[in-house]
Every structure is written in C-alpha cells, then in structure tokens.
Amino acid sequence: MSETIYVVIDHTNGEIRNASWETLVLGQRMAAQSGFELHALILGDDPGPVAEQVGRKQLDSVIAVADPKLRSYEPDSHCAALSQVLAEDAPHILLMAHIYQNIDLAPKLAAAIGTGLLTDCIDYRWEGGGFTFVRQVFRNKIDAEIRIRSRHPWLVTVQSGAFNSDDLEDGSAPPASRVVDLASVQVRRESLETIEGMKGGVDLTKADIIVGVGRGIKKEENLQLIHDLAEALGAEIGASRPVVDNGWLERERQIGSSGQNVQPKLYVACGISGAIQHIVGMKGAQCIVAINSDPNAPIFNIANYGIVGDLLEIAPVLTRKIRELKS
Amino acid sequence: MKIVTCLKDVPGRDTRYQIGSGQNWINESDVTWEINECDEYALEEALKLKESLGGEVTLLTLGPQRSEKAMRKGLAMGADRGVHVVDTASRVLSPYPVAKALAAALEKEEFDLILAGTQSDDFSYAQTGVVLADLLGLPHATIVMEVAVDSDAKTVRVLREMESGWFQWVRLPLPAVLTIQAGISKVRYPSLKGIMQARRKEIRQINLEELGLDWEHMPSLEILSLAFPETDSKVEILEGPPETAVDALVDKLRREAKVL
Ligand SMILES: Cc1cc2nc3c(=O)[nH]c(=O)nc-3n(C[C@H](O)[C@H](O)[C@H](O)COP(=O)(O)OP(=O)(O)OC[C@H]3O[C@@H](n4cnc5c(N)ncnc54)[C@H](O)[C@@H]3O)c2cc1C
Ligand SMILES: Nc1ncnc2c1ncn2[C@@H]1O[C@H](COP(=O)(O)O)[C@@H](O)[C@H]1O
C-alpha cells in the first residue's frame, strides 16, 4: 500500500485561495521526494468547477466532497466531513493553508480525530523515511524543527507565502468523489452578517512609496516624524496592527493579513518587527528599507537595506536628507 | 456569568533569545516573563463582561511555579481567583496535552464562557483554545474582536475577524470557547488596591503529574532543534552614526535601487 498526502483546497465563491495553491506546491514537493501519492480534497455544495481547475495540476486524483451543508464555512459540518473522509481514506498527512478559516477548523479536526497538528509550517525535511517540519517560534525570531508524535493522519497547516504558487507543476489528475453523511451533524454556530470594516478614503494599493510605522514609534505624538518623512518622500503612511488598534491611524492603513496587501516600489518599515501577519501584506514591495533598534528583528530578513538604530533619531535625519535631495 | 480565562506567561517582547546547550530550547536564565498579549485582552474582555453582567472571573494557567507571578497580575487587574496547573517537571508542552490538562482542571469548575488568546507569543500555535473547546464538547469561535452576551444569557454573539478587512458576526450557544484577538480594547492596569487584594485571592494549585494524563499516547509536537533563521537575506545594513548611515541609504536608494 502506498502512503498518501492529501491537500485541502479552499475556495471562496469558486475562486481558489492562493494560499491553497501554495500548499499544493508543498504537497507536490513532498510527494516527489517521498514517492507518496498526492490527492486534493475539495469541499463544497458544488465543488465540481473548482475540482476541474485543480485537476490540471500534477496530482494522483482530485477528490470532490459535495454536500449542501458545506456551502459556506462553519466548523461543525466541515469538521465532520473531513473526519469521515480521513477515517475512510487514512492518508499519512493532510495539508491545509494556514488561513483564518483553517485556524478555526484545523485544531478542532485534530482534537476530533485525536492526531497531531502542526500549524504555520514554513518548510519540511524528509529524512530516514519520515517527515519533520519547520516553523517559526518566539515571535518569528527562531526556527524550530518539529516532529509530530501521533497516529496518522498528521495535520499540517502551511504559512502563506512560504511557497510560491508559480512553482506548481501542471498535469492531469483524474476526478474522484467521496460521499459524506452530515445528516446528524448538529450545527451550533450560526453565521449572522458579514461586514467590510475597511472602507475609507485611502487606497494604499496604488501608492508608489509607503512609510510603514509600527509600535517602535512608541507614542502618538511621535507620529509627526512619520508624517514629515512621508511628506518629504511623497509617500502614503501605512501601519502595523498595534498602531491602528491604538487608534493612532485609520483602520484602512493597516497592512498585513487582516489589512491591506500592498506592492509599492519602496516600503520604509519604521519600528516594525516583521511579524508574519504584517509581512504577508508588504513583502511584494520592490525595495524594502527597515529602521529598527533590534538587529535581530525579523524585518531585516526580508529588507534590502537596513539601519539599526533609534527611529526617533534616524527618521528626522532621513527626512532632512530627502528634502535636501529634492530641493 | 461565570467566566474562565486562560492565561499563559511568555518571554517578554524585548527578550534577546539565546538557544540553550541542548539546542532544542532557549536559555531561560535571562528571560523575564509576561502575560501573553492576547490573554491580557481576553482577561480585559472577561472583566468587562463581569462588570456588565455580574459573576466571576477565574484565571486558568498551566505552567511552572514561576507562572504564579503572571496570575497574581491577572488577579490584581480584577480576576476573582485562579486555578494553576503546576508543571513541576518543566515539560515543554504542545497544544493537545495542554488542552487536555486544562480540560481536566476544569472538571471541578463551573463556567458559562471560556476565553483564551488567539495565539501565544512563544509558540504561536493558535490551537490550544480550539482543542480545549473540542475536548469539552463545546462550540468555539476564533480571532474574536467583540463579545456580546444575548439577554437570555443562553447565547453569545461574537465578531470574528476575517482576512483582508472583513468581519463576521456569529452566534453560539453557551457555554462556548472564544479565542480573543490582541488590541481589541484598552487593557487596564492593576490598581494599587488591586495589587494588595490580589495577594489574598485564592489560587487553587493542581499538580500536573497528578492529573493522570497518558503522556505516551497523546498527540504531541516534539521540538528537535532550534536555530536562528539562516538568512539568505540580502539585507545591507548601513552602519555608522545616523548622518553617515542615512547618507549611505539615500545613495543606495537612488543609484542601486533607483526608487528615489
Ligand atoms: C490573526 C492575526 C492577524 C493579524 N493581522 C495583522 C495585520 O494585518 N497587520 C499587522 O501588522 N499585524 C497583524 N497581526 C499582529 C502581528 O502578529 C504583530 O503583533 C504586529 O504586526 C506587530 O506590530 P509591530 O511590528 O508594530 O510591533 P512589535 O512587534 O512590538 O515591534 C516593534 C518593533 O519596534 C522596534 N523598536 C522599538 N523601539 C524602537 C526605536 N526607538 N527605534 C526603532 N525601532 C524600535 C522593536 O525592536 C520591534 O522590532 C495579526 C496577528 C494575528 C494573530
Ligand atoms: N499553558 C497554558 N496555560 C493557560 N493557557 C494556555 C496555555 N497555553 C496556551 N494557552 C491558551 O491558548 C492560547 C493559544 O495558545 P497557542 O495554541 O500556543 O497559540 C493562549 O493565548 C492561551 O490563552
């Protein structure tokens, strides 16, 4: 019997989540290296069209799980459906994207089937016939290699951006399906309304230059330094979440997984540590400058240029030099 | 309304980490421990609910003796009492065993609502609260920004954060487990009076080893090694006093990156 790797492909309104494509890249690599089979799982009330798209990638099959109760996400039905499929098919590993829906679902599924879950994985190793995984710990400052100790299927969620969906191998995978019985599932969570919280006048996605400000600015009064720098550069101001939570800047200036996704030519990160939830929103910038007093701040790992020092001292000098340059 | 709030202590934000000699844990000797950031917000939310609805707030912690300090701070902020599962063997624990121990500790407790943090700042697993919910057979909601208990106190409405600036209201029957997001309110400081009172508040201690957990057969995550990330990072650090470093930066941005 050959071992199998399953990948859940998530979609909203028929559109496949990019993070799921990235997760499939990891699945393809793990399968190629181990010789395990690779199958995709697609849940929904009508998963056919999504399954068809996934079928054009290199996999052993694309398994559709259709049920009216899987129309939109809610943990009880989704957990029950996946538990049933996993019990029947007994894969070695189930991979999912580390998106908010799976932050909600994966731990419940792991508890329900009693197996190990490793979240937010960024890499894997295949050694001596077994997989281990790499994830970041201690505020993204340290990488840990971790072994899951449990029965199979192991559950692994994959960090957005850890793999590149451009690296997907094309192919042709036969369609398959599984029937689940959700009649007895008691749905306890009722979805009420969905609201958009970031409507506003600012559109950071069109800005060429963005000055990003983080908790390192320390006080609201100090924000003037950032306004000055942004004005000198002709830049928009973006922010990390804590700055927005403090009410110092408008919500629509938040950059990151729960905020805007920006791709300016230049991003100047001022007093931002570089948490993954921030980085996913700005790593597409052509050039990243980081100003941070901590030489080990993870933001330096993705920056092109860095200055280690006190933002309150450096920002005004930078503002002055830019003004000199422009006059 | 009886509310349990999970509270974990983690290395403080400014910790300069060193990897310990075993290569699979940090050197804890210079670490100062703080309440995990979203757990402080969870506690704040619990205290506000208690203020508007009445009831009791119980802190629930699994950690070594050291963690009592974080619990005392939580009591000083206004929690009524604590349950401390004391990890006498200093195990490096993973979400499932932690949740299992927390669930066992709750057997003798009454509660209508359990709050946990969305994720811990040491491991950032973002699992423990949800696993706890499932082990207790309770419904849950994650990444919660707002909590409103319905007037019959049988259901709760919560605002969940979704990606890219979207939010969703959902309703759950009580008891339920919610994982609270950081930054959703202003966390109170302990008052002097609170600090004085906290010393006398009860912390029920339970020895982790006496909970009878089957360590061998629980799913767990074993940390094999820790390493500072190998940066294939291309970052060029511009050294020198501010004037020099900034001159170099501006020059690079113009001539090399051509973005100015
Ligand atoms: C589900 C979820 C969603 C999230 N979504 C987002 C999101 O969309 N966007 C987002 O940004 N975050 C998000 N976060 C939060 C994220 O995890 C981090 O907590 C946040 O990005 C940290 O912001 P920061 O870098 O400003 O603060 P910190 O991490 O506190 O970093 C401050 C930095 O400033 C430096 N510093 C301090 N003083 C100075 C000084 N004088 N000069 C220079 N540097 C200084 C420090 O060295 C440190 O590196 C989310 C978290 C979760 C759990
Ligand atoms: N040892 C612990 N004691 C009490 N609560 C914990 C413990 N570990 C985790 N939690 C709770 O679970 C949340 C998520 O933790 P994690 O799954 O590690 O990201 C934390 O914010 C805490 O509220």
Side-chain angles (χ1 to χ4, degrees):
Chain A
M1 189 190 82
S2 153
E3 296 278 16
T4 54
I5 298 169
Y6 277 34
V7 179
V8 174
I9 303 291
D10 287 299
H11 51 95
T12 26
N13 307 325
E15 199 180 319
I16 295 174
R17 297 289 305 260
N18 195 54
S20 293
W21 284 130
E22 294 169 3
T23 304
L24 190 57
V25 171
L26 170 64
Q28 288 186 333
R29 290 201 186 150
M30 289 170 66
Q33 201 169 8
S34 62
F36 289 8
E37 285 180 15
L38 179 66
H39 303 268
L41 269 184
I42 297 150
L43 274 58
D45 59 336
D46 177 25
V50 169
E52 216 177 284
Q53 288 180 61
V54 179
R56 294 195 281 274
K57 303 298 167 196
Q58 197 181 83
L59 314 119
D60 293 287
S61 83
V62 179
I63 303 168
V65 182
D67 192 286
K69 282 197 167 165
L70 300 174
R71 184 184 167 80
S72 57
Y73 172 73
E74 149 280 309
D76 291 317
S77 305
H78 275 66
C79 179
L82 283 171
S83 306
Q84 289 176 24
V85 174
L86 296 178
E88 200 177 318
D89 292 21
H92 189 79
I93 295 185
L94 178 77
L95 304 176
M96 308 165 101
H98 191 69
I99 54 176
Y100 293 10
Q101 178 173 313
N102 294 331
I103 290 176
D104 201 75
L105 173 63
K108 178 176 170 64
L109 179 62
I113 65 176
T115 70
L117 163 64
L118 182 133
T119 44
D120 216 13
C121 153
I122 58 169
D123 205 355
Y124 78 97
R125 291 190 187 131
W126 167 254
E127 268 161 13
F131 288 109
T132 60
F133 299 91
V134 181
R135 71 188 301 285
Q136 297 167 308
V137 292
F138 297 108
R139 303 172 204 261
N140 305 311
K141 286 190 175 167
I142 296 181
D143 287 349
E145 185 182 351
I146 295 183
R147 176 161 46 213
I148 302 176
R149 288 197 165 278
S150 82
R151 295 185 289 105
H152 294 279
W154 292 346
L155 308 185
V156 174
T157 68
V158 182
Q159 186 168 98
S160 301
F163 298 89
N164 187 337
S165 55
D166 294 342
D167 296 340
L168 273 174
E169 306 279 350
D170 287 332
S172 161
S177 62
R178 297 285 182 280
V179 177
V180 290
D181 177 7
L182 304 180
S184 61
V185 175
Q186 200 198 339
V187 174
R188 294 168 296 179
R189 188 200 286 180
E190 180 193 357
S191 300
L192 306 171
E193 59 185 321
T194 300
I195 50 183
E196 188 173 12
M198 295 219 182
K199 279 173 281 183
V202 208
D203 185 3
L204 296 184
T205 61
K206 297 209 172 65
D208 272 343
I209 305 182
I210 295 176
V211 178
V213 53
R215 183 141 54 184
I217 194 73
K218 300 213 166 71
K219 285 193 273 186
E220 189 171 13
E221 299 88 273
N222 295 339
L223 268 182
Q224 192 53 45
L225 302 179
I226 301 297
H227 284 288
D228 293 344
L229 177 57
E231 196 195 314
L233 282 165
E236 279 287 358
I237 296 180
S240 71
R241 180 180 187 122
V243 170
V244 170
D245 284 338
N246 283 341
W248 297 349
L249 286 169
E250 307 93 303
R251 184 60 66 183
E252 66 257 30
R253 293 192 187 273
Q254 181 177 318
I255 290 171
S257 59
S258 37
Q260 303 280 334
N261 194 327
V262 298
Q263 276 150 346
K265 282 202 299 216
L266 174 62
Y267 188 88
V268 187
C270 301
I272 291 178
S273 61
I276 178 64
Q277 294 90 355
H278 186 79
I279 287 180
V280 294
M282 45 64 78
K283 65 175 190 311
Q286 194 183 312
C287 176
I288 298 170
V289 172
I291 304 172
N292 197 303
S293 51
D294 175 5
N296 296 319
I299 189 77
F300 286 122
N301 300 340
I302 61 150
N304 301 81
Y305 304 105
I307 297 181
V308 178
D310 183 356
L311 164 67
L312 306 181
E313 205 179 327
I314 290 160
V317 180
L318 183 55
T319 304
R320 174 160 49 79
K321 302 272 177 191
I322 301 283
R323 282 190 183 137
E324 280 168 20
L325 184 75
K326 292 204 169 166
S327 64
Chain B
M1 188 88 176
K2 289 201 151 105
I3 305 172
V4 168
T5 148
C6 298
L7 190 114
K8 176 181 188 179
D9 61 349
V10 296
R13 201 188 306 285
D14 298 328
T15 304
R16 300 278 154 109
Y17 293 100
Q18 289 176 309
I19 294 171
S21 54
Q23 300 302 314
N24 63 356
W25 195 238
I26 53 162
N27 183 348
E28 291 188 355
S29 54
D30 290 334
V31 171
T32 49
W33 300 82
E34 292 173 358
I35 299 179
N36 186 47
E37 188 179 12
C38 25
D39 296 359
E40 264 190 354
Y41 287 91
L43 174 56
E44 177 63 37
E45 206 56 36
L47 296 173
K48 281 199 300 211
L49 288 171
K50 178 190 150 179
E51 279 157 11
S52 63
L53 303 168
E56 187 186 65
V57 174
T58 301
L59 303 174
L60 177 59
T61 298
L62 190 174
Q65 205 61 53
R66 166 206 82 216
S67 309
E68 188 179 327
K69 190 168 160 232
M71 297 186 81
R72 290 285 165 203
K73 184 179 173 199
L75 294 171
M77 284 168 67
D80 298 284
R81 50 187 286 273
V83 176
H84 184 180
V85 182
V86 186
D87 176 9
T88 44
S90 290
R91 295 173 183 270
V92 172
L93 289 158
S94 33
Y96 191 98
V98 170
K100 199 82 182 171
L102 297 179
L106 286 176
E107 265 171 28
K108 293 198 185 110
E109 299 288 328
E110 282 173 35
F111 53 85
D112 305 296
L113 183 65
I114 299 176
L115 303 182
T118 290
Q119 63 178 43
S120 56
D121 291 329
D122 48 3
F123 297 123
S124 305
Y125 285 130
Q127 292 193 36
T128 310
V130 182
V131 175
L132 176 64
D134 204 74
L135 293 176
L136 294 169
L138 300 178
H140 75 275
T142 48
I143 325 187
V144 167
M145 310 278 298
E146 227 179 295
V147 183
V149 176
D150 290 315
S151 53
D152 62 0
K154 291 206 169 73
T155 51
V156 60
R157 269 179 310 124
V158 306
L159 185 65
R160 296 185 58 225
E161 178 175 320
M162 317 243 273
E163 274 119 345
S164 312
W166 288 82
F167 300 89
Q168 180 193 36
W169 281 104
V170 300
R171 175 173 280 128
L172 302 168
L174 293 171
V177 180
L178 309 177
T179 78
I180 302 291
Q181 173 66 302
I184 62 169
S185 55
K186 278 253 169 298
V187 171
R188 70 194 65 192
Y189 288 105
S191 65
L192 206 56
K193 188 165 152 234
I195 294 169
M196 301 299 286
Q197 285 172 342
R199 293 192 191 141
R200 292 189 305 272
K201 287 181 179 168
E202 178 215 4
I203 294 182
R204 176 161 80 91
Q205 292 203 340
I206 304 172
N207 186 334
L208 175 63
E209 304 306 314
E210 283 163 16
L211 284 174
L213 301 184
D214 181 2
W215 296 99
E216 275 307 300
H217 297 99
M218 274 192 285
S220 66
L221 302 174
E222 181 192 358
I223 299 179
L224 301 174
S225 63
L226 296 180
F228 290 103
E230 280 174 38
T231 52
D232 46 347
S233 137
K234 44 197 174 5
V235 69
E236 196 173 328
I237 299 290
L238 305 162
E239 317 266 356
E243 292 281 333
T244 321
V246 169
D247 275 335
L249 174 65
V250 172
D251 192 59
K252 296 275 178 193
L253 292 177
R254 289 184 63 203
R255 287 178 219 277
E256 227 173 63
K258 299 193 166 53
V259 288
L260 281 186

